[in-house]
Amino acid sequence: SQTIHQWPATLVQPVGSPLSLECTVEGTSNPNLYWYRQAAGRGLQLLFYSVGIGQISSEVPQNLSASRPQDRQFILSSKKLLLSDSGFYLCAWSRQGGKDTQYFGPGTRLTVL
Amino acid sequence: SQELEQSPQSLIVQEGKNLTINCTSSKTLYGLYWYKQKYGEGLIFLMMLQKGGEEKSHEKITAKLDEKKQQSSLHITASQPSHAGIYLCGAATQGGSEKLVFGKGTKLTVNP
């Protein structure tokens, strides 16, 4: 069976510091991978998605970037965090081919002070 | 762009009562997904609907997609405290798309 991991579970960072959140999927190959942010009152916002190694699509211009160095690894980064980057970050995966269910990781709670 | 409107935003019911949550789209739905989220946790997949008029059930939860494929409802029968959480609907933005858009969620509280 497939599992998806995210770490860290929680993170408190000062403004201007760098960020690296990691997501890994087990039990499947060549998945689509997604990064979402969930902020209070704003729902679930798609940030990036990837259909393969090195292929990243950005949905919203922002202070963040994503990379996919390996087939089942997805990383969310920032060089300098802003207060507005605080939120709950969720990684998800789906099988290739479109219209397939997305399965979510446990999430990372990021607080920028 | 496609938007999903969920209603109500929040719902408080007594244990044992039935309830319905709605999800309405501004465009035709190419796949409608229902998820449940407990606070501070990831989303748990419940059901996926694709065809107009389709209905699926899992335990005491039933989801329906209308014939025009622009509205879905989630019905819980004889609610229990374990049903409490946030329910989100998500939809493919177009046929064959890898991307989903989500509603803002409905917060359900079930009082014992």
Side-chain angles (χ1 to χ4, degrees), chain A residues 54-75:
Chain A
Q55 301 178 61
I56 309 295
S57 295
S58 174
E59 290 297 298
V60 182
Q62 60 214 320
N63 185 40
L64 302 169
S65 62
S67 62
R68 185 171 177 172
Q70 300 181 43
D71 181 45
R72 292 169 289 174
Q73 184 184 30
F74 206 21
I75 296 173

Side-chain angles (χ1 to χ4, degrees), chain A residues 79-108:
Chain A
K79 291 182 180 178
K80 288 186 179 182
L81 283 169
L82 306 172
L83 285 174
S84 57
D85 291 324
S86 293
F88 191 51
Y89 288 82
L90 289 156
C91 180
W93 75 273
S94 70
R95 291 182 181 84
Q96 286 281 349
K99 279 205 304 186
D100 203 26
T101 302
Q102 291 184 20
Y103 299 94
F104 286 78
T108 294

Side-chain angles (χ1 to χ4, degrees), chain A residues 2 20 35 51 67 78 109:
Chain A
Q2 300 84 14
S20 181
W35 277 114
V51 298
S67 62
S78 174
R109 172 75 59 191

Side-chain angles (χ1 to χ4, degrees), chain A residues 7-14 17-22 76 81 85-89 107-113:
Chain A
W7 63 87
T10 60
L11 193 59
V12 180
Q13 292 284 94
S17 64
L19 173 74
S20 181
L21 302 182
E22 189 166 343
L76 184 69
L81 283 169
D85 291 324
S86 293
F88 191 51
Y89 288 82
T108 294
R109 172 75 59 191
L110 171 65
T111 303
V112 182
L113 301 174

Side-chain angles (χ1 to χ4, degrees), chain B residues 10-69:
Chain B
S10 64
L11 192 55
I12 302 174
V13 300
Q14 207 64 30
E15 183 177 358
K17 296 294 185 184
N18 303 336
L19 63 105
T20 300
I21 297 168
N22 293 303
C23 176
T24 303
S25 171
S26 56
K27 299 181 180 180
T28 299
L29 294 164
Y30 293 94
L32 188 287
Y33 302 78
W34 282 101
Y35 291 86
K36 179 186 174 184
Q37 184 182 28
K38 297 253 180 187
Y39 180 76
E41 299 181 10
L43 278 65
I44 304 298
F45 170 69
L46 296 175
M47 279 171 277
M48 182 247 194
L49 305 165
Q50 269 189 286
K51 301 176 183 176
E54 188 175 7
E55 180 175 323
K56 287 186 178 178
S57 293
H58 176 67
E59 297 180 344
K60 294 185 178 180
I61 300 176
T62 300
K64 301 178 185 179
L65 182 61
D66 75 338
E67 289 289 345
K68 292 185 179 180
K69 294 172 62 175

